[in-house]
Amino acid sequence: MLKKPNTKTIIGVAATAGALVIGAKVGDGISAVMPDSTNGYKKWAIAGVSIIAAAFITPTTAMAKAGQNALIGMGTKQIYDELSDTLAEAIPVKAADTTSNKFVNAIVGHKEVSLNNTTPALNAAWQGEGSDMWDRPSDQPLLGNSFSGV
């Protein structure tokens, strides 16, 4: 049932959102410092441990609720990253010429990409084979206008 929010409920929801985001970022930090030998399973391990740890917390105080939400955020973000990586590898990029293609690309986790080689791809350097395979035109210097030795 919907009801009119008050200051207390707004602050509570904002604290929940903040704890979820903090947990997600801490999980990313933990993932970054784990050894490379754990790359195949570290996201699943972080997700499993954090979600199980969250289940042990009884959220009777604001701090306990924030801790539980941070652990849930940590696990959720790692599962999100793992599923996004898996989908991005399994589903090819579609030309963003229709709303449905844009929607599918966003769900899968593909970045917006130019498929016509006249416009550089966003967040990507590799464009294919041949002399125009990089997204930086060859007549532009590497470091912008401040370095003309290229």
Side-chain angles (χ1 to χ4, degrees), residues 38-57:
T38 63
N39 283 347
Y41 60 87
K42 69 181 170 183
K43 291 178 184 178
W44 290 116
I46 294 168
V49 169
S50 63
I51 290 172
I52 290 169
F56 279 101
I57 298 174

Side-chain angles (χ1 to χ4, degrees), residues 12-71:
V13 170
T16 297
L20 291 168
V21 170
I22 289 169
K25 298 311 287 177
V26 169
D28 286 346
I30 292 169
S31 178
V33 299
M34 288 180 73
D36 289 342
S37 62
T38 63
N39 283 347
Y41 60 87
K42 69 181 170 183
K43 291 178 184 178
W44 290 116
I46 294 168
V49 169
S50 63
I51 290 172
I52 290 169
F56 279 101
I57 298 174
T58 304
T60 55
T61 66
M63 287 303 292
K65 185 175 181 178
Q68 185 181 52
N69 287 331
L71 289 166

Side-chain angles (χ1 to χ4, degrees), residues 4 8-9 12 14-15 22-23 25 36 47 57 62 72 79 97 102 111-112 120 123 129 136 140 149:
K4 183 178 178 183
K8 182 179 178 182
T9 59
I22 289 169
K25 298 311 287 177
D36 289 342
I57 298 174
I72 292 169
I79 293 169
D97 55 355
K102 288 178 187 177
K111 303 291 184 207
E112 185 176 334
N123 298 324
E129 302 296 330
R136 183 186 61 82
Q140 290 183 359

